[in-house]
Each structure stands twice: as C-alpha cells, then as structure tokens.
Amino acid sequence: AGELVLAGDDGVPQASFPLGECEGDCDSDQNCGLGLLCFQRSGTESVPGCTGTGQSGKDYCFRPLNPSLTYIAEDSTTLRNCQGDCDSDSHCDWGLNCFQRSGTEAVPGCSGTGISGKDYCYIPEAGELVLAGDNGQPQRNFPLGECEGDCDSDEQCGPGLKCFHRSGTESVPGCTGTGKNAKDYCYRVAPPPPTSPPPPTPELVFPNSLTISACSAGSPCQKCQGNCNGDDSNCASGMECFARNNEESVPGCVTGGSGDISGADYCHIPPPNGEVTYVPGEATIYENGLLLSTGLQSRIIATTGQPVSYGAGGQSSESFHKAPDGAAVFEDPTTGGWIYVSNAESSSSGGVGAIYFNSAGEVTNYERLLQNTVRNCGGGKTFWDTWLTCEETANGQVWEVDPWGVYPPKQTLLGGTGGEYESAAYDNRVPTAPKFYVTTDSSDGAIIRFTPDSGAVADALNTNNYRNLLHSNETGTAKLEYLVMTPDPSNDDAGSFSWTPDRGLAETNAAQNYPYSEGIDIRNGKIYITCKVPKKLFILDIDASSYERSSTETGAFNSQPDQVARILDNEGILYFCEDGSEDAGVHGRDSDGNFYTILADGGNDFGGETTGLAFSPDNMHMYVSFQSPGHIFDITRIDGYPFNGQRLDIKYHAQDNIFAFS
C-alpha cells in the first residue's frame, strides 16, 4: 500500500495529472489515472489501499477492487474503467478498451452483470493493443509501454521499445488485438547480438582426468596425476607410475584435456588382473542372461516393476519404470557422481526416470522426473545439460527435463503441432545460431529443424541461462522447418537436401526417401540418422547440404570405415545398439571397418530392443537396457580399464546373429 501524498491541486502542475494511486488532490475521477477513482473526504478518512492520513479535506485517488459495471449513458465518450455504454475503444479513456457484449458476459476486471447488451470499458491484459495517449498527451502516460499507442516515433516508447508504424490494422510483434486503425504502437525488439564472441566454455573435466602437478617421494601424486617420471616412489601408496612415450591411454584414467601432456607419465591404480583382458567380439562369458565379450562382467541395477536397490543398503520407494528406452548420462560435478536418465516407452505409464550414482559407481537414488506422458521413446541431451524426451504417439511432443529435478519438466516448441517423435540432437558450432533436430518415427514423418527465437538466444548468451531457449518466442523469430531430400539421379545413395516450412511437402518427401526416421546424432558438422523400415543410415553434411546413404542390415557403417575414423579420431571402438532381432545387443566398429558384437541376448530370453546405451563420465561403466523384461545392465571391464571409444546415438538393423571380428 502507498502512502497518501499531495502531487498537485486543481490540475497543477500538469505533469502530475492524471494522478497515481494514493495521490491527491483530485476533484473527480477524471483527475485519476487508469483504473483509479477519486475518494472524496471531508476530513482525514482512510483511503482504501493507502496508508497515512494525508491533508485534511483533500481527496485522493484509489484503486477499487473489481469495480461494479456502471451505465453512464449511450455512446458516451471518455468512459472510465467498468463504465458504459461504449461502441468502440475511442469511447473509453486512455489505456482502456471497449468490451463488446451480446448479453451479460463478464467484463474482465469488473463485477456485476450491467445492462444486457451494453458494452463496457475495461483495462486490457498485458500484451493487448491499447491507446494510452496521443500526440504526447496525457503527458503522464509517456513514454508509452509495450503494446501501447499512439506513438509517432521511437522516442515516445519506453526503454527497449520501438514504434511500429501502421497504415491499417497490421499485426504488431508480440502484441494481440487489432488496435485502432492506422494508429502506431510500441513493441519490444530483440536485443542486438553481442558485439564480441561469448566467453569460451570452461573445459569439462571428467572424474579421473589426467592432471599435471609436481610429483616426488615426499609429495607423491594421486591417481591420474603426473608427471611421475617413471618412478613408482613418486606415486601414492598402492599406485604405480605408468610410463608413456606419447599419448597412450593410462589405465583407469580419462585421456585428453589440458592435463594430458604427450610423453608425461601418470600415477594409476594397476588393473586387478594386470594385463588387458577385454577382447571385443570374442563371446566367452554367459552371465545374467547375456553373452558377453571376453573380459566383461555385468550386473542388473534396475528391473521394471521392482524397487531399485541402493549400494549402501535400502531401496527406492518407487518401482523402476516400464519399458526403459532412450537414455543419457549426466555428470554431477558437486559429488563426482553421475545420473543415468531413462525414458519410459509405455502407453499407460510413460515419462522419465533417473538413477543416481556416487563417484564409486554405486546407486544412491531413483526418482521419476516426468510422468503422465505417453510412449517416451528416444531423446537427446542439450548443451546446457538437460534431457529432451520425445513422445512417440499421435500428437506427441518433446519435453525438456532437468536431470537433477530442480526445475519442473516443460513442453518445448520443438514438437510444433505434434507427431510420433523419436530422438533429438543439436548443432551448436555457432553459439549465436544453434539448431535442434527431431526425428519422427512414422511412414511419412518429416525430420524437424528448430531455430530458437533470436531474443531467447541473445538472452541465454548474456546470462548463461538457457532455461527458456526452447520455450520462448518473444520476438516471433523461432521457426520450425522440415527436411526435404533430393536424390542424385545417377546415384540413389547420395543427393542434396534442403529445409522447408511446408510440413506437408516434407512429409510427402519423407515417405519417399526417409520413412520411419529413428536414431539421430551430430558429430563434426554431420548428422547421422537411421531409418528402421528401409534399414538405411543417412549421413548429412550440414554445411554442404549433401548426404550419403548406406544399408544397416550388416551393421552400421559397413561400407564407411572413414566415417568411423572421423568420429573416433582413429582410436577405439564406436558403440551402438541393434533395434531388435533374435540376438539384440550392443555392437561396434573400429576405424578399420571391423565389426564387433560386444554383448547380446545369451539365450533368446529378452524380447524387444536394446537401447539406452550410455557411459559413465569416466568411461568405466557401460549402461544398456533390454526393454523386455526391463533390465538396466551395468557393464564393466574385469581388467579395470575404461572403455576406449565413443557412443553414437543410432541403432542398426541386423539380420545376422553372430559375433564377429569382420
């Protein structure tokens, strides 16, 4: 409540009129501002909504709560809030619009029914076009606010606003309604892009990353620290100094990053069995219903319909969700642990669940992060570490989920009018112009490209807060486009592509060229997309607007070892899942084109598909889901080394069922 204050008297000074709430001296309602009335006093009576006594006998403006509809006269002019009868906005005082009625419809912000068929002035909602003044009068209303008119120049609009000039009733950006014909209104413009490049993203340091410090016998280095100069005495108790000639992988540590110095030696905990024992593709171990490559071990950490057991004892209050599907791992920098976020592809109990781990890889918690959605199939991570989950159902949508559960899940703009959505990915090579992509798993499902609102991008870069990037369209510049492929007439497995705002056109093109698009991932400016029914892998070069296509029937990248080499930088194995067969499992290729089955259903005990492939931040744990019976497996190497390779979020569609080295 405001304190009573004398701002003027008898209309002087002019700049103070119309008066604001709790201001005096008013002689009539016309002396008061928008939505206010004049409270007449003979002494120091209390003024509603105001404090203090004011000057005795002086009258003050106050804001009535839902004032009653009042009929003044037919076709009156300069009517106040909740007064009638008006035939147009011009009959209402500045800042008010005329609410047209055919009966006794409720008038926003007013009480009572008034006279049936009579129209009344009201205070419009934020964002609705309204005339607040003209030619700079009343002076108190200038500069004008957003969606207010009539402005003659940008100078008559408030900070961050410009004057939108009209010759008729053209739409004003960010505002609703038509306003008065040929009147000009203030609107909010997108902030200009930053003049200098955004600050560099801090280096992401995973647990057990290699670091450099001074090692000595008196001040020994800890795990993954160097340079220990080939001397075990320079390492803490129970550790050894791993000598390197160049950039060899250090067992139990994550290579790469600023602390990985070529030729430097690092302390590490020797693997339990000493020598490397992992042989990808050599099927020798049967465990928990899986046939595993030599050197791997497994444990089931969650099963549909059962509580999740915790490493320190106890279990979750909720049962693990149905039909686990697409998943991702998020590092928790505060604890050194991580979160495995998993979709529920269930028609009756869809959503997203999350398993939480400490730095030792022990389960500490399980929670449902999203519920009351349908068939959450695949998804994708954002570059600000949230999870996009896609509903694969008619009129499905794409939701953004916070893995930590701090922010509630929220539907994004990516899904548009809805579809049977599968997976999502992004291209953020140009931070001022990020792009997001969504696949659609149907016979004519067009692949979506979403460009965020320019104002939302600028705000995110300025504040380093991306929470509204996929939800805001304040400047009206967000757009959805759809993929159109044009095959090369002389080569069915190559062609060009473009993007169109015409979804119908793109759906016809999808039915002909890329039906049932499913997995999607983006690496090094290339989009990798799998289509399950035609069993094809598409690789789209974003900058060249060209694509190439190959079969996935004998494993992804069967004829494209160069693509694997580009993703892996010629080191390790590229891991991916198979989309259902008698021996569904996890498979891989190396940069020489060799194909491996890493693990598979050991006895046709598991139905459905293998999905949810993800690695812990230190690459020591591989997580994968067999959708039926709903197991989540934690796969580790017996020799204690990390998995050396990368994961691609696609699935291939095998017809052969054997382990092979190629």
Side-chain angles (χ1 to χ4, degrees), residues 215 217 228-235 239-243 265 267:
C215 302
C228 51
N229 293 311
D231 189 344
D232 293 345
S233 66
N234 291 332
C235 297
M239 299 185 187
E240 295 178 356
C241 185
F242 186 86
D265 306 330
C267 298

Side-chain angles (χ1 to χ4, degrees), residues 169-477:
T169 58
E170 298 94 320
S171 297
V172 178
C175 304
T176 60
T178 58
K180 190 171 183 179
N181 186 51
K183 291 296 184 181
D184 309 321
Y185 294 84
C186 299
Y187 74 103
R188 188 169 302 281
V189 296
T195 55
S196 58
T201 302
E203 180 184 1
L204 182 61
V205 179
F206 292 116
N208 299 322
S209 292
L210 296 178
T211 59
I212 285 289
S213 63
C215 302
S216 66
S219 180
C221 280
Q222 301 300 313
K223 181 181 178 182
C224 303
Q225 288 184 340
N227 186 353
C228 51
N229 293 311
D231 189 344
D232 293 345
S233 66
N234 291 332
C235 297
S237 175
M239 299 185 187
E240 295 178 356
C241 185
F242 186 86
R244 308 196 309 171
N245 295 319
N246 295 296
E247 297 176 350
E248 299 91 330
S249 296
V250 179
C253 303
V254 178
T255 55
S258 59
D260 186 358
I261 307 300
S262 179
D265 306 330
Y266 294 84
C267 298
H268 77 119
I269 300 174
N273 292 344
E275 297 299 323
V276 173
T277 60
Y278 174 40
V279 184
E282 182 181 81
T284 61
I285 300 173
Y286 182 83
E287 182 179 76
N288 291 321
L290 297 179
L291 189 57
L292 300 167
S293 293
T294 298
L296 296 183
Q297 58 189 354
S298 68
R299 66 186 180 114
I300 299 172
I301 59 174
T303 299
T304 291
Q306 299 179 14
V308 178
S309 297
Y310 300 154
Q315 60 185 19
S316 62
S317 58
E318 291 186 278
S319 296
F320 190 67
H321 54 266
K322 294 181 179 179
D325 205 294
V329 165
F330 296 83
E331 182 185 7
D332 187 346
T334 61
T335 66
W338 54 89
I339 307 167
Y340 179 78
V341 174
S342 168
N343 280 347
E345 193 187 17
S346 169
S347 298
S348 60
S349 183
V352 176
I355 303 175
Y356 297 80
F357 300 85
N358 60 21
S359 59
E362 299 173 329
V363 176
T364 61
N365 191 23
Y366 169 74
E367 292 183 7
R368 291 296 298 269
L369 300 178
L370 173 66
Q371 301 189 69
N372 301 318
T373 51
V374 178
R375 288 181 55 81
N376 294 78
C377 190
K381 297 174 72 170
T382 66
F383 52 85
W384 57 94
D385 272 349
T386 58
W387 173 243
L388 298 178
T389 177
C390 303
E391 291 182 283
E392 188 186 354
T393 185
N395 301 316
Q397 287 294 335
V398 181
W399 296 76
E400 183 178 11
V401 177
D402 176 17
W404 289 267
V406 175
Y407 299 94
K410 192 174 181 181
Q411 181 180 318
T412 70
L413 300 176
L414 273 65
T417 57
E420 297 183 58
Y421 299 131
E422 177 76 21
S423 298
Y426 66 83
D427 177 20
N428 192 39
R429 291 175 299 157
V430 181
T432 56
K435 297 288 189 293
F436 295 82
Y437 301 84
V438 179
T439 57
T440 308
D441 191 1
S442 61
S443 61
D444 61 350
I447 292 174
I448 296 171
R449 181 176 75 173
F450 174 74
T451 302
D453 177 83
S454 59
V457 173
D459 182 65
L461 290 172
N462 289 334
T463 63
N464 199 31
N465 185 339
Y466 292 84
R467 295 290 174 186
N468 289 322
L469 189 62
L470 304 181
H471 310 281
S472 173
N473 191 20
E474 184 176 335
T475 67
T477 54

Side-chain angles (χ1 to χ4, degrees), residues 64-261:
L65 181 63
N66 292 330
S68 298
L69 292 175
T70 304
Y71 179 76
I72 302 299
E74 192 77 18
D75 301 336
S76 295
T77 58
T78 62
L79 291 167
R80 307 287 289 172
N81 187 32
C82 303
Q83 292 181 351
D85 174 54
C86 57
D87 290 332
S88 67
D89 294 345
S90 62
H91 288 162
C92 300
D93 200 359
W94 296 120
L96 301 176
N97 284 343
C98 184
F99 188 85
Q100 306 286 338
R101 311 197 306 171
S102 59
T104 58
E105 297 94 320
V107 178
C110 304
S111 61
T113 59
I115 299 176
S116 179
K118 296 300 182 183
D119 309 321
Y120 293 84
C121 299
Y122 72 102
I123 301 174
E125 294 183 358
E128 186 176 350
L129 291 177
V130 61
L131 278 178
D134 199 1
N135 295 323
Q137 297 296 326
Q139 186 176 353
R140 189 187 184 99
N141 288 355
F142 286 79
L144 298 166
E146 186 174 5
C147 304
E148 292 182 349
D150 173 50
C151 56
D152 298 319
S153 65
D154 294 343
E155 287 70 24
Q156 291 186 334
C157 299
L161 304 177
K162 286 189 175 182
C163 186
F164 187 87
H165 296 282
R166 312 195 307 170
S167 58
T169 58
E170 298 94 320
S171 297
V172 178
C175 304
T176 60
T178 58
K180 190 171 183 179
N181 186 51
K183 291 296 184 181
D184 309 321
Y185 294 84
C186 299
Y187 74 103
R188 188 169 302 281
V189 296
T195 55
S196 58
T201 302
E203 180 184 1
L204 182 61
V205 179
F206 292 116
N208 299 322
S209 292
L210 296 178
T211 59
I212 285 289
S213 63
C215 302
S216 66
S219 180
C221 280
Q222 301 300 313
K223 181 181 178 182
C224 303
Q225 288 184 340
N227 186 353
C228 51
N229 293 311
D231 189 344
D232 293 345
S233 66
N234 291 332
C235 297
S237 175
M239 299 185 187
E240 295 178 356
C241 185
F242 186 86
R244 308 196 309 171
N245 295 319
N246 295 296
E247 297 176 350
E248 299 91 330
S249 296
V250 179
C253 303
V254 178
T255 55
S258 59
D260 186 358
I261 307 300

